[in-house]
Amino acid sequence: MTDYFKHTHALVETENIGVDTRIWAFVHILNGAKIGSNCNVCDHCFIENDVVIGDNVTIKSGIYIWNGVKIENNVFLGPNVVFTNDLMPRSKQYPESFLKTLVAEGASVGANSVIIAGNTIGKFAMVGAGSVVTKDVADYSVVFGNPAKFKYHICECTEKLHFISEKAECSCGKKYIKSLTGEVTRLK
């Protein structure tokens, strides 16, 4: 008896799956993977051993998550997002360890985006559909294109932020400050 839903056509080798997670048809999850509570792993996904997925994560169809990828809580991954984990791949030649990729809390990655290994997508950042992420994406940033480029900052509620004297207040009431280096932080 498990505390999560597994479709009859899913192959789940790990026991590290949280309560109320849903795993749909034609998903294959390897033995070492860790998946949090209340996640939704849609059809035709593959998750390798050295993968950690937080709580409340949505993984839409057609996504393969390779060794070295960590996905924090409340992340949305659109259909067919592509992760890489080896910058110089060769058939039957494996690195001693794979590059680490992080998708931080609350981030959203649009459909058909490519995330190059070793990068971090910051907290509550958004990557536009079809983008190629070749470098880190800062917290609360919207990026898109090939390569993905910064367009503007957003609130956790997704509204565009307008900074005056390095401060912004969203219509939802959340307040932000921008440092001299351009990093955006939500004020408590």
Side-chain angles (χ1 to χ4, degrees):
M1 184 73 184
T2 61
D3 291 331
Y4 65 91
F5 169 81
K6 179 184 85 129
H7 192 280
T8 57
H9 294 338
L11 177 56
V12 178
E13 298 178 32
T14 185
E15 295 181 12
N16 296 312
I17 297 179
V19 174
D20 294 331
T21 285
R22 292 162 308 285
I23 299 169
W24 296 99
F26 313 111
V27 170
H28 186 175
I29 302 173
L30 296 185
N31 188 45
K34 295 179 179 79
I35 300 175
S37 298
N38 197 38
C39 294
N40 192 33
V41 183
C42 295
D43 293 8
H44 300 280
C45 291
F46 178 74
I47 301 173
E48 273 194 316
N49 285 299
D50 183 27
V51 171
V52 177
I53 297 171
D55 298 331
N56 305 311
V57 173
T58 298
I59 301 170
K60 298 306 273 184
S61 298
I63 299 176
Y64 305 149
I65 305 175
W66 308 112
N67 287 331
V69 177
K70 180 178 181 184
I71 299 169
E72 293 184 343
N73 298 337
N74 304 303
V75 166
F76 173 85
L77 300 174
N80 301 304
V81 167
V82 174
F83 289 94
T84 69
N85 67 353
D86 188 346
L87 296 179
M88 299 295 206
R90 293 279 193 216
S91 181
K92 306 299 180 192
Q93 297 178 21
Y94 306 104
E96 286 184 30
S97 64
F98 290 101
L99 293 170
K100 302 299 182 193
T101 299
L102 173 66
V103 183
E105 181 178 353
S108 293
V109 181
N112 294 311
S113 295
V114 177
I115 312 304
I116 302 300
N119 290 302
T120 295
I121 298 173
K123 292 190 314 185
F124 297 97
M126 295 193 91
V127 176
S131 297
V132 179
V133 175
T134 59
K135 60 184 180 179
D136 290 348
V137 176
D139 296 350
Y140 303 104
S141 293
V142 171
V143 300
F144 52 87
N146 181 5
K149 294 186 178 175
F150 171 80
K151 301 302 178 182
Y152 51 88
H153 289 103
I154 58 169
C155 178
E156 291 176 14
C157 77
T158 72
E159 186 173 312
K160 186 176 182 178
L161 293 173
H162 301 281
F163 285 87
I164 299 171
S165 300
E166 310 308 319
K167 294 179 183 177
E169 182 172 355
C170 183
S171 63
C172 74
K174 293 179 181 75
K175 297 178 182 180
Y176 298 85
I177 190 164
K178 189 187 303 186
S179 73
L180 295 174
T181 59
E183 295 173 10
V184 173
T185 306
R186 182 176 161 204
L187 299 172
K188 301 292 178 198

